[in-house]
Amino acid sequence: MTSLAESAESKPYQPDPLIDTFLDDLWSNRGLSDNTLAAYRTDLRHFDRYMQKLGGGLVQVSQQLIRDYLDVRFDKGFARTSSARLMSSLRRFYGFLILKKLIQVDPIARIKSPKLARKLPDSLSEADVDILLNEPDLQEPIECRDRAMLELLYATGLRVTELVSLTMEQLSLRQGLVRVVGKGGKERLVPLGEIAVNEVEHYLEGARAELLKGKLSDVLFPSRRGQMMTRQTFWHRIKLYALRAGIVTHISPHTMRHAFATHLLNHGADLRVVQLLLGHSDLSTTQIYTHVAKARLSQLHSEHHPRG
């Protein structure tokens, strides 16, 4: 006689429709990014597939079944960060089912997420930033664009997605401000600074038109094809300039965001101001940069103080 688990194993996988119901609710009410929604979908479908192989489903879940699944992942060598993200996905999903009264007891309520070591973000020294920003050749339209992007990135601490998706109407050079649409569709105004304004002005005076070649576009920093640049393309551009400049530190667009925050704090900026500029909804997210700043100050003290 075929068991329920064997029967489920032989059938092609059909995702539980509750997953899409949950994701649709998140999209409409929470305004989460496509990447976040895709991560939730992946986590929930993997767990759903596991439950179906056992002959059950997402509603027929117990605390022990979730613990068993975590043990399976551990045996397969999944990283703690991956399991922590899974736990976050399951907490939101089962919180949704409780809210909709589809289940009576939250099966994950008493399960603790794995503790993660808090990694300090990579950053660049102010000297390295100067070298990097001066590397693009302003005589080349594509590098003139890149120079303006790098200056704007360091001046504002934007996320790379926010940077590449900027439109002309979001920029006010006269006021020295950029209007940013961040996570969850939240808007914030970020000052540019004089140097960034000058570099963007120089780029707009000629290089942008040369890149567009007569095409109409509202994208502030278009690609060679006159379209919005991808995050991956800009990442490769930054790596190119770092390589040419001889910078050995691991570098990415996010490294410039870290440098922006760290250097502000090193020069005495208020943590809550940095929080607003970065677009963090929670101050605790910003506080990690205080550790970076303190580490740098400690190093400077050790190097230059007579009794360091």
Side-chain angles (χ1 to χ4, degrees):
M1 185 174 179
T2 305
S3 68
L4 283 173
E6 290 170 338
S7 177
E9 180 77 40
S10 64
K11 293 179 181 178
Y13 172 63
Q14 292 292 329
D16 191 318
L18 280 175
I19 295 176
D20 283 337
T21 303
F22 164 67
L23 294 173
D24 288 344
D25 181 77
L26 279 185
W27 180 84
S28 59
N29 295 320
R30 304 284 181 176
L32 298 181
S33 70
D34 290 342
N35 289 339
T36 301
L37 293 173
Y40 281 137
R41 179 178 287 106
T42 298
D43 288 339
L44 292 172
R45 284 190 174 183
H46 282 171
F47 182 58
D48 181 36
R49 190 189 299 269
Y50 170 80
M51 287 301 302
Q52 288 190 28
K53 285 181 179 179
L54 295 179
L58 292 175
V59 175
Q60 296 85 28
V61 170
S62 66
Q63 183 180 123
Q64 188 57 51
L65 283 170
I66 294 177
R67 291 188 186 279
D68 291 344
Y69 181 60
L70 291 172
D71 288 341
V72 169
R73 289 171 59 86
F74 178 80
D75 291 339
K76 289 183 177 180
F78 280 85
R80 282 177 174 265
T81 50
S82 174
S83 293
R85 194 192 75 180
L86 165 72
M87 292 292 287
S88 175
S89 301
L90 293 177
R91 286 191 199 286
R92 293 196 81 154
F93 177 70
Y94 284 110
F96 171 76
L97 296 190
I98 288 284
L99 186 65
K100 298 298 182 182
K101 298 182 179 179
L102 296 173
I103 59 175
Q104 300 296 319
V105 179
D106 187 345
I108 200 170
R110 295 186 180 181
I111 302 178
K112 293 182 179 179
S113 296
K115 290 186 177 180
L116 301 176
R118 202 163 195 191
K119 182 181 178 295
L120 295 180
D122 294 317
S123 190
L124 289 173
S125 69
E126 292 179 42
D128 280 343
V129 170
D130 283 337
I131 293 170
L132 181 68
L133 296 184
N134 284 304
E135 186 57 38
D137 182 357
L138 295 180
Q139 302 305 311
E140 296 290 331
I142 199 79
E143 297 203 10
C144 183
R145 178 206 65 189
D146 294 344
R147 171 76 169 267
M149 293 182 77
L150 287 169
E151 286 285 0
L152 195 150
L153 186 61
Y154 181 55
T156 60
L158 299 190
R159 300 176 179 93
V160 63
T161 302
E162 296 170 345
L163 176 71
V164 299
S165 61
L166 283 177
T167 62
M168 292 292 291
E169 66 176 17
Q170 288 177 256
L171 181 73
S172 175
L173 292 179
R174 184 177 61 81
Q175 294 178 303
L177 293 171
V178 61
R179 178 171 51 83
V180 184
V181 181
K183 289 185 176 180
K186 294 179 181 178
E187 290 191 1
R188 67 187 190 277
L189 288 174
V190 184
L192 294 176
E194 185 178 350
I195 295 177
V197 167
N198 291 339
E199 290 296 342
V200 174
E201 278 183 339
H202 179 69
Y203 155 72
L204 292 176
E205 285 170 2
R208 183 174 183 273
E210 290 187 53
L211 290 173
L212 287 174
K213 297 177 181 177
K215 296 178 182 176
L216 294 178
S217 174
D218 64 345
V219 176
L220 179 58
F221 298 114
S223 67
R224 293 179 187 273
R225 297 181 178 181
Q227 301 170 339
M228 188 177 82
M229 192 189 310
T230 65
R231 297 180 304 164
Q232 291 78 9
T233 296
F234 187 59
W235 181 73
H236 286 300
R237 300 298 297 173
I238 286 186
K239 287 193 71 176
L240 168 68
Y241 296 122
L243 183 65
R244 280 178 16 187
I247 296 173
V248 295
T249 304
H250 170 73
I251 191 168
S252 70
H254 223 62
T255 310
M256 296 295 287
R257 179 169 162 88
H258 298 326
F260 162 81
T262 306
H263 298 169
L264 277 176
L265 290 167
N266 281 342
H267 287 276
D270 182 84
L271 187 64
R272 290 196 177 275
V273 172
V274 177
Q275 175 195 1
L276 291 172
L277 293 174
L278 290 173
H280 287 160
S281 57
D282 192 335
L283 186 63
S284 64
T285 309
T286 317
Q287 283 175 330
I288 190 170
Y289 293 103
T290 63
H291 300 297
V292 180
K294 286 176 182 176
R296 175 62 179 151
L297 291 174
S298 177
Q299 179 187 345
L300 288 171
H301 182 278
S302 178
E303 290 176 357
H304 301 292
H305 194 277
R307 296 189 182 277

